[in-house]
Amino acid sequence: MAGGWARDGAVNEQIEASIADELARLKAQRVATGESRTHCAECEEPIPEARREALPGVKLCIDCMQERDSAKQTRGGINRRGSKDSQLK
């Protein structure tokens, strides 16, 4: 849904390009600063060299990263739709 003289999908392409640019910038920043750790920030176990080379700037071992990814994310109980019921309470 583009407006004006823009073609269909132009807005989505712009958003995707912005995201790709930011990810590239962050990756370049991690590589430039060489922030890879030799030991995990949480459990102090050694991080394998292959993982550090594959993910420059890595700070967690595989086990800690998997545990963090699988942890349940709690969210607030705010109704963001703005229904009339939520506005009356």
Side-chain angles (χ1 to χ4, degrees), residues 39-73:
H39 290 77
C40 179
E42 291 185 6
C43 69
E44 295 298 325
E45 290 292 320
I47 298 174
E49 181 67 28
R51 179 168 171 77
R52 290 184 298 192
E53 289 177 7
L55 298 170
V58 69
K59 293 182 166 105
L60 299 175
C61 66
I62 294 172
D63 293 334
C64 290
M65 192 68 200
Q66 287 176 344
E67 185 177 322
R68 181 179 280 187
D69 288 344
S70 65
K72 183 178 178 182
Q73 299 290 327

Side-chain angles (χ1 to χ4, degrees), residues 8-85:
D8 289 340
V11 173
N12 286 340
E13 289 174 9
Q14 184 179 11
I15 292 169
E16 290 172 3
S18 296
I19 292 171
D21 289 344
E22 184 64 15
L23 289 173
R25 185 188 69 79
L26 290 172
K27 186 174 182 179
Q29 180 181 3
R30 282 192 310 196
V31 170
T33 58
E35 294 179 13
S36 288
R37 297 177 55 123
T38 57
H39 290 77
C40 179
E42 291 185 6
C43 69
E44 295 298 325
E45 290 292 320
I47 298 174
E49 181 67 28
R51 179 168 171 77
R52 290 184 298 192
E53 289 177 7
L55 298 170
V58 69
K59 293 182 166 105
L60 299 175
C61 66
I62 294 172
D63 293 334
C64 290
M65 192 68 200
Q66 287 176 344
E67 185 177 322
R68 181 179 280 187
D69 288 344
S70 65
K72 183 178 178 182
Q73 299 290 327
T74 59
R75 299 189 179 201
I78 299 171
N79 182 353
R80 298 186 193 277
R81 292 185 193 172
S83 68
K84 289 182 181 180
D85 290 338

